[in-house]
């Protein structure tokens, strides 16, 4: 992992969540593979990295924000070089769809 002076710290996402729909996010930070971030091994987590299957960042109104965990868990390694996120969208009615409008990630000391 080496010595890092920077890490992925926080994220901020604007979302649209019509009634009876839901949206949540998970993040992943990993070390680069032999082809950089393309073949890195990612473990997606929420705010509780030990519950990586059930832990998600959830919206407060029209925003999902949170601290990106600074830890190592399975293939999750922060500080790390590669970052991905997954959005989980759920609706019972295709005429009402949640949306991830934009995502901002802070990478700093």
């Amino acid at each position: 992992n080496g010595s890092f002076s920077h890490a992925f710290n926080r994220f901020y996402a604007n979302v649209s969540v019509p009634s009876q729909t839901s949206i949540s996010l998970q993040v992943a930070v990993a070390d680069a593979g032999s082809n950089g971030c393309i073949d890195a091994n990612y473990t997606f987590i929420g705010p509780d990295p030990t519950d990586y299957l059930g832990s998600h960042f959830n919206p407060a109104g029209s925003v999902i924000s949170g601290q990106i965990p600074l830890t190592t868990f399975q293939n999750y390694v922060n500080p790390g070089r590669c970052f991905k996120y997954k959005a989980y969208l759920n609706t019972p009615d295709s005429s009402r769809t949640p949306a991830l409008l934009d995502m901002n990630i802070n990478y700093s000391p």
Side-chain angles (χ1 to χ4, degrees), residues 4 19 28 30 44 48 50 54-55 57 69 75 77-78 82 89 94 104:
F4 290 87
S19 65
F44 289 88
D48 176 5
T50 61
S55 182
F57 294 95
N75 291 321
V77 180
N78 190 21
C82 305
L89 291 75
S94 63
N104 295 290

Side-chain angles (χ1 to χ4, degrees), residues 12-108:
Y12 182 93
N14 288 303
V15 296
S16 171
V17 191
S19 65
Q20 300 180 12
T21 71
S22 65
I23 186 170
S24 65
L25 295 173
Q26 287 187 315
V27 297
V29 182
D31 285 329
S34 59
N35 289 318
C37 295
I38 293 169
D39 65 343
N41 292 316
Y42 294 95
T43 298
F44 289 88
I45 64 171
D48 176 5
T50 61
D51 182 18
Y52 67 100
L53 295 176
S55 182
H56 291 85
F57 294 95
N58 294 301
S62 61
V63 172
I64 301 175
S65 66
Q67 183 173 342
I68 299 169
L70 187 60
T71 189
T72 299
F73 178 78
Q74 294 189 0
N75 291 321
Y76 181 92
V77 180
N78 190 21
R81 186 172 144 203
C82 305
F83 182 88
K84 283 188 174 187
Y85 61 90
K86 280 186 184 179
Y88 297 86
L89 291 75
N90 185 27
T91 183
D93 178 354
S94 63
S95 69
R96 290 189 310 251
T97 305
L100 173 61
L101 303 174
D102 61 39
M103 178 84 161
N104 295 290
I105 298 125
N106 177 269
Y107 179 77
S108 65

